[in-house]
Amino acid sequence: MTQFRKQALVAALAMASTAPVFATDSVQHTSELSVMGVYIEPDSDRTDEYGSAARIIYGLRLDQNWWVEPQFTTGVMETGIAGATDFYHQELGADISYRLFGDAEFTPYVLVGGGLSRNDVANDRSKEFAGYANAGLGLLTSPLTESGLRLRADARYLFDTFSDNYSDIQIGLGITVPIGVTRRQIVEKVTVIERPVVVESERVVQLADSDNDGVVDGVDQCPNTLEGLQVNAVGCVDTAEAQSVVLRGVTFEFNSNRLTANARDILNRAADALNGQTDLKVELAGHTDNVGSESYNQQLSQKRADAVREYLIEMGVNAGQMSAVGYGESQPIRSNDTEEGRERNRRVEFNVVSE
């Protein structure tokens, strides 16, 4: 058997980990393309019949709510006279639109704009370029596919200066697809962890600390503690005072309470921590940014906090150890004026309930 020296040297070696945390992509559309079919109710002075048209719109985002939308519309208005005087009508112009809820699930909007119109009456030399102005109300549905495709509908009042001036009603329905996307990913580093090392004789023996809480496994009575929480001398979370840690990486599908695969991996570790200390009680707190209405964000944060609690119960955690509370947009930790700040405000916290 190897003889060890009578004295041992104890040293602390810093072992740095730079593994990236699971972070959600922040996706914001910077431009989009809309294609719509249009039903036209013409001015009665123009014709007593109806019209139809096709419209293509290129949308360019100015900020969270405002868009500028150049567009082209071409169509025909029937006169009811066979083979004679149908009105062929085109519009080339641009609108400014305001979307009430930004990128929220359901987005009503208002628009106003104008441009150049062309009216061409078949079998008639009367061809004229004129001007038009329009105003309208519409809505965009929530995304229907992973690519972001949405349904779009609007109703417009159009004033055309052609001839004696005409006032038409246009009702459009179509699809909108994002074509310009900005992505940002928040990546953080795990904090440096110091592990005790015992030097005996001429070899180094590192004492195992599986959950990196500063208490070696041979002493640790509460294994799998979440990093960031203070523990006592035997490795259990100290509940003498309130403390909190953000469950970084617990994310959800767009505008829903469905957990992503990465979120389940993080919550599996949280389940191990709660199962390893059955007297630990926590509040699962859901938070959002300020995009959308306050009531919508409150409801979404509560649904997401409930989803986390339900998943942990499925992983065997005692339901009595956890409560779920949604705080909506009321407790930001960063400014909502930047995309990075809004990303940090969308979070789930693991709040220890003090005894």
Side-chain angles (χ1 to χ4, degrees):
M1 178 179 290
T2 304
Q3 290 288 344
F4 294 115
R5 296 179 179 176
K6 294 181 180 180
Q7 296 183 348
L9 173 64
V10 180
L13 298 181
M15 302 184 67
S17 172
T18 58
V21 176
F22 294 108
T24 59
D25 280 338
S26 171
V27 180
Q28 185 177 76
H29 306 310
T30 57
S31 59
E32 62 188 24
L33 186 68
S34 300
V35 178
M36 306 180 74
V38 181
Y39 171 80
I40 304 174
E41 184 68 29
D43 192 307
S44 59
D45 289 338
R46 192 195 296 263
T47 175
D48 292 330
E49 297 295 324
Y50 67 93
S52 61
R55 174 177 292 132
I56 185 167
I57 304 170
Y58 174 74
L60 182 64
R61 180 191 292 274
L62 300 178
D63 65 12
Q64 188 65 24
N65 299 94
W66 289 97
W67 290 71
V68 60
E69 298 182 328
Q71 61 184 281
F72 175 71
T73 303
T74 181
V76 60
M77 285 173 267
E78 303 291 339
T79 63
I81 303 174
T85 57
D86 291 346
F87 284 86
Y88 296 92
H89 181 77
Q90 292 88 38
E91 302 158 20
L92 178 64
D95 295 327
I96 293 291
S97 71
Y98 180 83
R99 300 182 182 181
L100 274 66
F101 302 146
D103 289 328
E105 182 174 353
F106 175 83
T107 310
Y109 64 88
V110 295
L111 64 87
V112 64
L116 184 68
S117 67
R118 180 175 183 270
N119 293 268
D120 182 5
V121 181
N123 301 322
D124 190 332
R125 294 179 178 272
S126 176
K127 299 179 180 180
E128 183 177 340
F129 287 95
Y132 80 91
N134 70 177
L137 299 172
L139 62 85
L140 279 161
T141 67
S142 59
L144 303 178
T145 66
E146 291 185 1
S147 64
L149 181 144
R150 308 167 81 175
L151 294 181
R152 174 172 179 166
D154 61 37
R156 304 172 183 231
Y157 168 81
L158 182 139
F159 178 78
D160 190 347
T161 62
F162 173 64
S163 186
D164 294 327
N165 299 331
Y166 294 124
S167 298
D168 302 329
I169 301 297
Q170 299 183 349
I171 300 174
L173 177 65
I175 60 172
T176 296
V177 179
I179 57 175
V181 176
T182 297
R183 290 179 180 266
R184 289 183 183 174
Q185 188 177 46
I186 308 302
V187 178
E188 297 186 354
K189 295 183 179 180
V190 178
T191 54
V192 172
I193 304 162
E194 293 187 354
R195 300 178 179 177
V197 176
V198 176
V199 180
E200 294 184 336
S201 187
E202 295 181 357
R203 9 175 241 159
V204 176
V205 178
Q206 181 176 315
L207 301 182
D209 179 16
S210 301
D211 57 4
N212 297 320
D213 63 358
V215 179
V216 296
D217 290 351
V219 179
D220 199 337
Q221 296 181 12
C222 296
N224 304 314
T225 305
L226 286 179
E227 290 189 32
L229 294 177
Q230 297 296 319
V231 299
N232 56 25
V234 293
C236 295
V237 174
D238 188 357
T239 59
E241 60 181 8
Q243 54 177 311
S244 176
V245 65
V246 175
L247 296 178
R248 190 79 62 192
V250 175
T251 56
F252 303 83
E253 295 181 12
F254 183 77
N255 274 340
S256 81
N257 62 340
R258 292 188 296 272
L259 292 163
T260 63
N262 287 343
R264 295 187 183 94
D265 291 339
I266 300 298
L267 291 177
N268 288 341
R269 295 199 287 272
D272 291 339
L274 288 167
N275 287 327
Q277 187 175 346
T278 56
D279 64 338
L280 178 62
K281 290 182 169 52
V282 299
E283 176 193 77
L284 303 169
H287 300 271
T288 69
D289 57 24
N290 69 345
V291 176
S293 69
E294 183 177 354
S295 61
Y296 172 80
N297 288 332
Q298 174 64 41
Q299 294 172 8
L300 181 61
S301 66
Q302 183 64 55
K303 290 179 181 178
R304 288 180 169 179
D306 289 337
V308 171
R309 183 175 183 271
E310 291 167 6
Y311 182 82
L312 292 174
I313 292 174
E314 292 176 5
M315 294 297 101
V317 179
N318 187 335
Q321 290 182 253
M322 303 172 292
S323 62
V325 180
Y327 291 96
E329 61 188 65
S330 64
Q331 297 183 8
I333 57 175
R334 294 289 189 277
S335 170
N336 279 304
D337 292 337
T338 66
E339 183 56 28
E340 181 178 353
R342 291 189 292 272
E343 173 67 32
R344 295 297 298 273
N345 290 333
R346 297 190 293 268
R347 68 196 189 278
V348 175
E349 291 178 339
F350 189 101
N351 298 331
V352 175
V353 178
S354 60
E355 298 176 347

